[in-house]
Amino acid sequence: MSIIKTENLSKVYNPDTVPVHALNNVNISFEEGEFTAVRGPSGSGKTTLLNMIGGLDKPTEGSVTIDGVDISKLKDSKRIDFRLHNIGFVFQHYNLIPVFTARENVSFIMLLQKRGKKEIRERADALLDKVGLSKKKDSRPVQMSGGEQQRVAVARALASEPKFILADEPTANLDTESAMNLLDIMNRMNKEQNVTFIFSTHDQRVIDRARRVITMVDGAIHKDEEQHVAEQA
Amino acid sequence: MKTLVNISWRNIWRHPARSSVLIAAIVAGLWAGVVTVGLVNGLMLQRIDYLIESEVTHAQLHHPEFLAEGYSWLSIPDHDEIKNWLENDGRVKAFSFRTITDGMLQSPVKTSGVRIRGVDSESERRTTTFHENIVEGSYLDDDTPSAVIMGKTLADDHNMEIGNRIVLTFEDTNNELVSGSFNIVGIFQSASTTYDERNVFVRSNDLIRQLSDSPIYHEAGIMLENEELASAVVSELNSSFSGIEAQTWRQLSPELSMLVELGGVMVILITLIIMIALAFGILNTMLMALFERMRELGMLISIGMSRLRVFTMIMTEAVILTITGAAAGMLLAWITIRHFSTSGVNLEMFAEGAAQLGWDYIIYPVLTPMEFVAILAVVVVITLVASAYPAMKGVRINPLEASKSA
């Protein structure tokens, strides 16, 4: 069953001056439990596509439907609320709140969701355990490596129990070991808990682990292929 | 809200040096401003209190033309009836009838124009505090015949001292020039050197004897239980007696009323200057904080933090920052004002200039709880206004900022 569906999705930047067609009539859908990489050269539209699916930007034309809701028609405040309850984000630059500890960073989104104190604490601790940071719960971002920060970001994205997680170049700033570690964690979450991950990436390490690879060129889907991924040890 | 306050508080301390400098600036600015307001208030109130208590009194009555013309025959009619009325009115604390005329003071050195004030030392002591201005000799209550007290400036000018004699020449009620020799028994020094130069005091009986065949009075100074009663008492006096004009201290001394208004304007001006500086400090700090955190704020909006919460967070930061500084500044100012309200701020270095203007050089700062609360309220309002712009900018941040490179 598809949880995300785009129809004739187009995005034009600077339509009145020098129009840039970032997306051209993109029709694509994503199923629950996917582990998908969106690849393509710079300017191909992969980040724009993720921004549209994530409700961070509005299409010039077309629609994005998530679980039956056309988010492109939602008002800004409704879209923010929709993101809070339905979409998880992992950013290239981790984007943790520097004044918060790892536990507080993970808890914050649940506080926004107005969950109970006890549930928030238990869930934050459990998620940090899952991403291998049980000893860093009280550390601030500045006291953690890039890989550890990105793992906190993954735990934060999972904390809100989203329908899917969008990860924009999540390994771009990580060394190989950290990147592989992060991918293992995300892969495990995907398999064990059926969490849907959609990446935009240049990183071959990510592409190699994805079961579906979408290649974009000039704002359009160039290739959309399934691939067999060998089980990791 | 607790989370927002928590995150705001921690955000403030991301840059401890910057926040500390702003808080220190708020503390220093508010302390200086509030203490200055207290000093201005104190200066004004002291001047007003001094003038009321030592000279003007809460109300006075005269012949309707006396203050404009100054002739000695323009005296208060039916003064015994008025005395009786004043004695029996519970609102009247004390009163003193005075005989006044303008004349010349002659000493072996020179001649000066003076206002000769004939007073009854007993009732004058009850009514005013002028006797406290005696710096040498005594007031008019010893047995020395034809006693006079004169201002220190005038005495120095004439090279006179206690025990010397002077001659006072003036017109009597029949327009005849009369002269009398008076013995200097006291030297006074009021807050105003101008007043000291132009006034001498004698016993009213001594003056009346030379002025007229019967007792005459030109002025009655009235001290009431409190200042607010002045208008009512004056109005009743004017309706009860003809041929007199009673006036409140505000009517008698419009410059004092102006002083009160001037004090208010100065307080507003000082507060305004501090508040403008405060507003720009907050604006600058909050804008800097905002520009540094565009990506982070973009991330917060991306993951689902409402724009209202972002707005509230930025406003909360500004309010906490300012209230921390303001509370410390106000507390410091309160301690300072409390301390100096009893010991006074000694500005002796400006004593001479202050005396020329009739000001005291020891100032006892005054700040009413109402003024204190008002300043605090203005600080809060200014903070909210100054932080509204950065907060609005924060609200408008595009969530796509989260994906941008640093």
Side-chain angles (χ1 to χ4, degrees):
Chain A
M1 181 197 164
S2 65
I3 51 168
I4 306 164
K5 194 175 175 191
T6 74
E7 281 183 56
N8 305 321
L9 191 64
S10 296
K11 179 69 182 178
V12 183
Y13 291 110
N14 313 322
D16 301 325
T17 52
V18 187
V20 177
H21 295 266
L23 287 179
N24 278 318
N25 263 334
V26 173
N27 291 289
I28 195 165
S29 60
F30 298 89
E31 307 290 319
E32 192 176 354
E34 280 193 20
F35 201 73
T36 299
V38 181
R39 66 186 295 188
S42 294
S44 61
K46 53 189 187 302
T47 297
T48 306
L49 177 64
L50 255 66
N51 288 339
M52 295 294 159
I53 294 170
L56 299 177
D57 205 355
K58 284 188 112 174
T60 311
E61 275 177 50
S63 65
V64 177
T65 307
I66 295 169
D67 230 10
V69 178
D70 184 352
I71 62 163
S72 49
K73 287 202 168 68
L74 291 178
K75 276 185 183 173
D76 182 65
S77 57
K78 294 271 180 202
R79 228 171 41 239
I80 291 174
D81 196 55
F82 187 87
R83 287 202 295 266
L84 175 64
H85 293 97
N86 296 283
I87 308 171
F89 291 91
V90 177
F91 302 95
Q92 181 182 342
H93 302 285
Y94 331 131
N95 287 0
L96 299 179
I97 301 170
V99 292
F100 276 1
T101 63
R103 183 190 280 123
E104 287 167 334
N105 264 288
V106 177
S107 302
F108 187 69
I109 197 160
M110 292 186 277
L111 282 166
L112 294 178
Q113 288 178 321
K114 295 184 176 138
R115 294 192 189 200
K117 236 180 182 176
K118 190 169 171 246
E119 184 198 354
I120 289 172
R121 192 175 174 89
E122 284 174 1
R123 186 165 168 74
D125 284 352
L127 284 166
L128 286 168
D129 289 344
K130 276 185 188 169
V131 296
L133 290 172
S134 44
K135 288 183 181 161
K136 293 270 184 174
K137 286 171 188 167
D138 295 317
S139 301
R140 292 197 177 183
V142 73
Q143 297 164 312
M144 290 187 274
S145 68
E148 287 170 335
Q149 287 187 56
Q150 197 61 304
R151 279 188 273 158
V152 175
V154 170
R156 177 179 68 189
L158 288 164
S160 63
E161 296 184 87
K163 291 195 169 66
F164 59 92
I165 289 174
L166 296 172
D168 187 14
E169 309 269 11
T171 55
N173 291 350
L174 302 182
D175 58 50
T176 302
E177 191 187 342
S178 300
M180 296 314 282
N181 193 354
L182 185 78
L183 284 169
D184 284 344
I185 289 165
M186 292 197 281
N187 209 355
R188 200 171 62 239
M189 299 287 178
N190 172 254
K191 284 189 175 151
E192 291 174 7
Q193 294 172 35
N194 205 32
V195 179
T196 308
F197 281 92
I198 302 167
F199 307 93
S200 82
T201 188
H202 283 105
D203 189 342
Q204 194 57 44
R205 296 167 300 192
V206 179
I207 295 162
D208 289 345
R209 304 284 284 272
R211 293 197 299 279
R212 181 185 176 191
V213 178
I214 297 163
T215 308
M216 294 194 72
V217 178
D218 295 335
I221 307 290
H222 179 64
K223 258 196 240 173
D224 184 354
E225 52 201 358
E226 303 280 330
Q227 68 177 15
H228 178 260
V229 180
E231 283 298 318
Q232 299 294 305
Chain B
M1 193 61 202
K2 196 180 159 194
T3 313
L4 284 183
V5 171
N6 186 5
I7 191 170
S8 300
W9 176 253
R10 295 200 205 174
N11 280 336
I12 288 169
W13 298 110
R14 279 184 197 210
H15 296 282
R18 188 170 69 199
S19 297
S20 301
V21 166
L22 182 66
I23 289 173
I26 295 169
V27 171
L30 265 174
W31 173 80
V34 172
V35 171
T36 308
V37 168
L39 285 172
V40 170
N41 276 348
L43 198 66
M44 300 292 169
L45 286 174
Q46 270 171 252
R47 178 74 181 141
I48 291 162
D49 286 349
Y50 174 80
L51 284 175
I52 288 176
E53 287 170 13
S54 77
E55 293 173 36
V56 182
T57 64
H58 287 139
Q60 287 183 5
L61 58 89
H62 305 91
H63 184 283
E65 288 165 38
F66 178 77
L67 286 178
E69 305 293 338
Y71 296 121
S72 55
W73 66 84
L74 297 170
S75 60
I76 299 168
D78 307 323
H79 49 81
D80 284 334
E81 279 177 51
I82 296 171
K83 271 185 189 173
N84 193 36
W85 190 94
L86 292 170
E87 271 165 359
N88 291 306
D89 193 299
R91 295 166 296 181
V92 178
K93 199 169 152 190
F95 64 90
S96 176
F97 275 75
R98 299 156 185 163
T99 307
I100 299 169
T101 189
D102 292 328
M104 301 297 290
L105 181 151
Q106 287 171 283
S107 70
V109 178
K110 62 195 281 194
T111 303
S112 301
V114 290
R115 172 152 277 201
I116 306 157
R117 295 176 173 271
V119 295
D120 170 57
S121 62
E122 248 179 68
S123 61
E124 197 65 34
R125 268 180 186 278
R126 285 197 301 271
T127 310
T128 70
T129 56
F130 191 83
H131 55 276
E132 291 171 7
N133 292 329
I134 299 292
V135 289
E136 280 178 58
S138 61
Y139 197 47
L140 296 165
D141 32 23
D142 65 6
D143 296 334
T144 312
S146 297
V148 64
I149 59 169
M150 60 196 295
K152 186 165 175 22
T153 320
L154 188 64
D156 290 345
D157 211 17
H158 283 261
N159 206 13
M160 291 282 104
E161 53 189 41
I162 307 287
N164 290 162
R165 292 170 77 106
I166 50 144
V167 174
L168 294 173
T169 306
F170 45 88
E171 272 186 8
D172 66 11
T173 50
N174 299 316
N175 289 345
E176 296 293 333
L177 273 180
V178 289
S179 290
S181 173
F182 288 83
N183 300 301
I184 302 172
V185 295
I187 306 286
F188 66 84
Q189 189 172 18
S190 72
S192 164
T193 49
T194 313
Y195 186 86
D196 296 354
E197 268 171 7
R198 294 184 187 162
N199 290 276
V200 294
F201 289 75
V202 298
R203 290 193 198 97
S204 52
N205 288 343
D206 292 342
L207 189 57
I208 290 166
R209 212 166 30 241
Q210 304 206 42
L211 266 182
S212 166
D213 301 330
S214 57
I216 57 163
Y217 298 100
H218 302 98
E219 181 175 283
I222 306 163
M223 281 302 275
L224 303 166
E225 289 299 332
N226 63 65
E227 186 266 328
E228 280 95 41
L229 298 167
S231 295
V233 171
V234 157
S235 165
E236 282 179 46
L237 277 166
N238 284 328
S239 59
S240 304
F241 300 98
S242 59
I244 59 136
E245 186 181 22
Q247 290 169 294
T248 65
W249 66 271
R250 283 179 190 272
Q251 293 167 318
L252 285 159
S253 194
E255 72 276 10
L256 274 188
S257 296
M258 267 181 62
L259 210 59
V260 175
E261 282 167 31
L262 181 70
V265 171
M266 282 181 75
V267 165
I268 290 169
L269 274 178
I270 294 165
T271 312
L272 201 68
I273 291 165
I274 297 168
M275 294 308 153
I276 289 171
L278 177 68
F280 277 103
I282 295 164
L283 187 67
N284 180 45
T285 303
M286 294 314 293
L287 278 177
M288 277 170 74
L290 183 80
F291 290 139
E292 278 171 10
R293 282 157 48 199
M294 295 289 264
R295 199 168 72 193
E296 188 183 317
L297 293 170
M299 176 276 291
L300 289 173
I301 296 169
S302 294
I303 65 169
M305 188 170 179
S306 71
R307 293 184 190 275
L308 179 66
R309 276 183 166 150
V310 172
F311 180 83
T312 312
M313 181 180 77
I314 297 169
M315 293 292 277
T316 309
E317 273 180 52
V319 169
I320 292 176
L321 196 65
T322 315
I323 293 297
T324 307
M330 297 290 271
L331 180 69
L332 208 62
W334 181 76
I335 292 168
T336 309
I337 288 175
R338 200 179 153 80
H339 173 73
F340 284 108
S341 63
T342 47
S343 64
V345 179
N346 194 332
L347 302 174
E348 202 168 357
M349 64 187 105
F350 307 114
E352 208 174 313
Q356 289 282 340
L357 297 167
W359 300 98
D360 205 345
Y361 65 87
I362 296 178
I363 305 167
Y364 299 90
V366 174
L367 199 71
T368 62
M370 202 56 205
E371 285 170 320
F372 215 77
V373 171
I375 292 174
L376 201 59
V378 172
V379 170
V380 173
V381 171
I382 289 290
T383 305
L384 293 176
V385 171
S387 50
Y389 176 66
M392 287 307 292
K393 272 190 98 67
V395 162
R396 287 197 212 104
I397 283 175
N398 190 329
L400 295 177
E401 290 285 341
S403 315
K404 285 187 181 169
S405 297

